[in-house]
DNA sequence: TGACAAAACGGAGACTATCTCCTTAATCTC
DNA sequence: GAGATTAAGGAGATAGTCTCCGTTTTGTCA
């Protein structure tokens, strides 16, 4: 029988690891902001002064890196949600403000709607948690508006969230002016049809 | 002074060129249908039994290849437009049917909404002509519905076309069931809001 | 039909991006 | 400081895009 090995006390995380992680995030934020979410990961590593292997050890996929970057903004969005709940009594206006906040959030980087859409279906992406949370919040605002007869009863939160992604996707490249963006939002809100 | 050169009578297009072009289109149609618009072009060339150079000589960009593939379907869509004009008297229903036809058209291949969106902004893509034509048609149907007071007066054809692209983009990966798709279309048509 | 010129083909390979080992270096613990 | 361990670095495997240029095919006309 071998000696029962003493349970190894886990070491503290190495300092260079934390330093590298933070630096990668800084550089990635800049690259994604400038070039969109498809920016070259190797280029980010190079600019951060590390090898590709190091980047991939910290963030195994592009989605993992994105998820880490969005975490800080997630907190802002949660704060915004709380502020809306606190300050807005009209349930329809509250929903509208929440959708607007979501819209700003998904516009953080060019091309962000694509990985978010994928995360919403695949469920395995590190972005999925975040997404699902915001879908739930959307459902809560929506349910309140529906209770007050201020939102179509057949709409669901998931589709509303996807609509926000979709309008952001359109804006990504196809809308030159702000008036088009407003128009898209209006279509989302009140549709194109008038009762005959 | 040099002799004015006899104007060379242009040769007939070589038979192998036509053969190759047709074959590339066949194979590409299959690949795009199976794997979406991002399928490897070199793989298409290989399957078609030609070198990559030949493919790129025929279709310098992925968009050019897509445009050629969509040409046949364009004709179907134009025919559908004429049929709607001929058979549907109600302008709102006509617009709705046209949007549905567009929706089917953009669903020909997985991922098609992306290059179409890009084409609509850049204007240089071989897909731009086609897109622009369908925007114009959308505007015509929309104008009729607006004259009849059946469509919001502030909506424009371009945004409506983009909305169709956007809902197709969402469906691309994120909508499991047909009920979600219907719901998205309903939001597009009548919005989520009810008057307070 | 054969010879010439023009047109088109083929595929090697340059370039870029992703991602993975495995060797080397930095850091923590005692 | 010595030793154990964790992380870094970066060459290179793989895959996709796209180009260039020597070779082949085809059309034309004597």
């Amino acid at each position: 029988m071998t000696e029962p090995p003493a349970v190894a006390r886990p070491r503290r995380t190495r300092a260079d690891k934390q330093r590298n992680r933070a630096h990668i995030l800084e550089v990635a934020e800049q690259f994604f902001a400038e070039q969109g979410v498809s920016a070259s990961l190797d280029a980010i590593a190079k600019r951060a002064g590390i090898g590709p292997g190091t980047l991939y050890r910290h963030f195994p996929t592009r989605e993992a890196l994105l998820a880490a970057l969005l975490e800080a903004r997630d907190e802002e969005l949660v704060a915004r949600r709380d502020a809306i709940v606190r300050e807005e009594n009209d349930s329809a206006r509250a929903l509208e403000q929440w959708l607007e906040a979501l819209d700003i959030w998904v516009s953080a980087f060019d091309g962000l709607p694509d990985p978010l859409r994928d995360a919403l279906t695949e469920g395995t992406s590190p972005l999925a948690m975040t997404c699902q949370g915001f879908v739930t919040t959307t459902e809560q605002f929506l349910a309140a508006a529906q209770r007050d007869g201020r939102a179509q009863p057949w709409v669901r939160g998931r589709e509303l969230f996807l609509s926000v992604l979709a309008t952001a996707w359109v804006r990504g490249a196809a809308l030159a002016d702000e008036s088009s963006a407003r128009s898209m939002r209006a279509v989302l809100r009140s549709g194109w049809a008038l009762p005959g």
Side-chain angles (χ1 to χ4, degrees), chain A residues 104-121:
Chain A
I104 292 168
W105 177 73
V106 301
S107 305
F109 306 120
D110 244 40
L112 186 52
D114 295 82
L116 292 177
R117 180 196 66 171
D118 296 344
L120 207 55
T121 24

Side-chain angles (χ1 to χ4, degrees), chain A residues 68-187:
Chain A
L69 278 176
L70 289 177
E71 230 165 68
R73 296 170 194 256
D74 288 0
E75 287 167 24
E76 284 178 39
L77 193 47
V78 168
R80 180 85 187 99
R81 176 199 66 189
D82 295 340
I84 295 171
V85 168
R86 206 180 321 113
E87 294 163 16
E88 182 57 67
N89 297 316
D90 183 292
S91 58
R93 277 212 299 275
L95 175 55
E96 193 146 29
Q97 283 176 37
W98 169 247
L99 294 181
E100 193 185 323
L102 273 181
D103 186 81
I104 292 168
W105 177 73
V106 301
S107 305
F109 306 120
D110 244 40
L112 186 52
D114 295 82
L116 292 177
R117 180 196 66 171
D118 296 344
L120 207 55
T121 24
E122 311 204 353
T124 56
S125 162
L127 294 166
M129 289 285 120
T130 305
C131 265
Q132 192 48 56
F134 293 146
V135 168
T136 302
T137 300
T138 306
E139 276 165 357
Q140 288 162 354
F141 279 111
L142 176 62
Q146 285 170 331
R147 266 197 306 277
D148 295 351
R150 302 291 302 284
Q152 302 278 4
W154 43 262
V155 176
R156 280 173 299 180
R158 185 186 166 86
E159 283 106 44
L160 222 41
F161 181 82
L162 283 168
S163 303
V164 172
L165 291 188
T167 52
W169 173 83
V170 165
R171 191 173 48 244
L175 295 186
D177 50 347
E178 173 57 21
S179 101
S180 290
R182 267 205 311 277
S183 183
M184 287 292 297
R185 258 178 268 136
V187 169

